[in-house]
Amino acid sequence: MDIQLGRAKTARRAYGIDEIALVPGRSTLDPALVDTRWTLGNIERQIPIIASAMDGVVDVKMAVLLSQLGALGVINLEGIQTRYEDPTPILERIASVGPGEFVQLMQELYAAPIQPDLIKQRIQEIKAQGGIAAASATPAGAAKYGQVVAEAGADLFFVQATVVSTAHLAPGGVTPLDLVTFCREMPIPVILGNCVTYDVTLDLLKAGAAGVLVGIGPGAACTSRGVLGVGVPQATAISDCAAARDDYAQESGRYVPIIADGGLITGGDICKCIACGADGVMIGSPFARAAEAPGRGYHWGMATPSPLLPRGTRIRVGTTGSLEQILKGPAGLDDGTHNLLGALQTSMGTLGAKNLRQMQQVEVVIAPSLLTEGKVYQKAQQLGMGR
């Protein structure tokens, strides 16, 4: 329903993940019976969770561990890992600097040139240890390094920016990345994003995307919504983009997964994204809290080091457990940030959803009081859902 903002403008109401709840149906099943498998490109995974391509989240070690645990991690090809042969002292500097010096330090560190040889080396290091090599770059980086990525033997390539479209207008003398040609010529599946609307999703699907990332600005370390004023709350964005996926699948016979990217902290957030229509999710800060994460208890956005207009910050997330605890348990915390797979399986069982497609069909209600109703003691004592 449109809302009248004024005489010259109407607006559509949009909903965030915190404003909705999932409604159990008439049947339930044991969590051990649910099937959480999904396929991205030609890669099948047990867990529909991707670790985002952020320098405080994924390095070679994390990518390998995530692969071993049944998930997936994406390495940032325009970050610390491809600018420095030994990223360790760089990551230690990022973790040790004060808040007032952080942006300037990041701009300095990320001014070092990207080394194509390191792109190749990181991908091959992941492959050599049996991991799935998924890599990410901006459209400009994809145009420059796509061939290197393919030759290195990567399994998946993510082309990511705040917003990616097939109708990008560039200044004179600059040739924008042709997404149709790029997807067609790359020998590996290409995932495109980010977007938040039906029309752009449909354009990206028609361009040949093997997956579409949904989300602008909801990430824990992202400030795009404050800096640019741009974004659509995730529940609405996912639902709109999933509608484009379904219409495209009916028209073309090709089903392409939609990935909710950003703003997800707990297992419940993941469950609600899939119920809104997502096939999988991409998360950053929950994995940045792993003991094995490269960020040393810190997490920062991909656009944080921008030399002109930073759209991210560094947040302290701490270290709460091992990657396995966070992903598969056993949980050491009571706030929904550990055993994300177990939360998804239990939610699906409670809702009677045998697989992800059935999970996408469960009833959703608008419930702004979902996270506060009856939680006065937790909030007062900063426990559980009150943290």
Side-chain angles (χ1 to χ4, degrees):
M1 179 179 69
D2 285 344
I3 300 169
Q4 194 77 27
L5 289 180
R7 289 180 179 270
K9 182 75 72 173
T10 59
R12 183 164 66 108
R13 176 68 161 94
Y15 296 93
I17 292 298
D18 287 351
E19 297 176 281
I20 64 171
L22 310 183
V23 182
R26 298 180 67 179
S27 64
T28 58
L29 68 152
D30 190 286
L33 300 177
V34 306
D35 183 0
T36 60
R37 290 176 299 168
W38 75 311
T39 301
L40 181 60
N42 51 8
I43 305 290
E44 183 180 276
R45 297 274 78 196
Q46 176 203 2
I47 305 174
I49 301 175
I50 304 172
S52 54
M54 296 178 172
D55 284 343
V57 179
V58 178
D59 59 4
V60 171
K61 178 182 178 181
M62 280 286 283
V64 173
L65 286 172
L66 286 157
S67 300
Q68 292 171 346
L69 290 168
L72 182 67
V74 185
I75 195 163
N76 179 13
L77 296 186
E78 296 178 63
I80 297 301
Q81 299 292 325
T82 58
R83 297 175 192 267
Y84 298 92
E85 179 73 35
D86 181 7
T88 300
I90 305 301
L91 291 163
E92 289 174 350
R93 286 185 68 189
I94 293 172
S96 63
V97 72
E101 308 163 274
F102 171 68
V103 172
Q104 291 74 24
L105 174 65
M106 294 292 277
Q107 291 170 334
E108 172 197 330
L109 295 177
Y110 282 76
I114 296 168
Q115 301 180 48
D117 286 347
L118 285 179
I119 291 177
K120 184 176 181 180
Q121 180 179 323
R122 301 304 182 215
I123 291 170
Q124 292 179 341
E125 286 171 348
I126 295 171
K127 298 287 287 185
Q129 297 176 65
I132 295 169
S136 171
T138 61
K144 197 170 184 179
Y145 305 115
Q147 186 175 353
V148 176
V149 173
E151 290 175 354
D155 298 298
L156 298 168
F157 193 26
F158 289 67
V159 179
Q160 292 183 260
T162 302
V163 177
V164 166
S165 75
T166 58
H168 180 68
L169 184 63
V174 177
T175 302
L177 178 66
D178 185 328
L179 295 176
V180 175
T181 300
F182 187 81
C183 289
R184 182 177 64 245
E185 294 183 351
M186 281 292 283
I188 58 177
V190 178
I191 294 86
L192 300 176
N194 284 33
C195 67
V196 289
T197 65
Y198 176 98
D199 291 334
V200 174
T201 301
L202 200 57
D203 289 342
L204 297 179
L205 294 171
K206 291 178 178 178
V212 175
L213 295 160
V214 176
I216 296 175
C222 183
T223 61
S224 290
R225 291 181 176 178
V227 175
L228 305 179
V230 175
V232 175
Q234 281 291 65
T236 295
I238 295 163
S239 180
D240 285 348
C241 297
R245 172 205 60 206
D246 292 341
D247 288 349
Y248 177 76
Q250 186 173 6
E251 175 188 328
S252 68
R254 190 171 77 99
Y255 186 91
V256 180
I258 295 294
I259 303 159
D261 177 17
L264 314 179
I265 304 297
T266 67
D269 294 340
I270 294 169
C271 298
K272 288 191 276 187
C273 282
I274 294 174
C276 286
D279 298 280
V281 301
M282 175 176 272
I283 60 178
S285 58
F287 286 140
R289 304 173 84 192
E292 301 91 339
R296 292 152 173 78
Y298 285 95
H299 176 54
W300 55 94
M302 294 177 74
T304 302
S306 169
L308 299 176
L309 190 65
R311 298 185 305 284
T313 188
R314 182 195 63 174
I315 57 174
R316 171 79 178 163
V317 295
T319 300
T320 66
S322 69
L323 177 62
E324 185 167 10
Q325 273 185 290
I326 292 168
L327 194 57
K328 302 179 77 170
L333 295 177
D334 56 7
D335 59 1
T337 60
H338 278 189
N339 196 1
L340 301 178
L341 175 61
L344 176 59
Q345 292 170 326
T346 302
S347 180
M348 290 174 66
T350 302
L351 296 164
K354 296 179 181 178
N355 52 47
L356 297 182
R357 287 297 281 165
Q358 289 189 8
M359 185 67 166
Q360 293 169 349
Q361 306 305 316
V362 303
E363 183 182 355
V364 177
V365 295
I366 307 304
S369 64
L370 179 72
L371 301 180
T372 58
E373 186 175 47
K375 302 299 184 289
V376 61
Y377 291 110
Q378 292 185 36
K379 183 175 178 59
Q381 298 172 38
Q382 293 289 293
L383 300 170
M385 293 171 62
R387 284 194 178 94

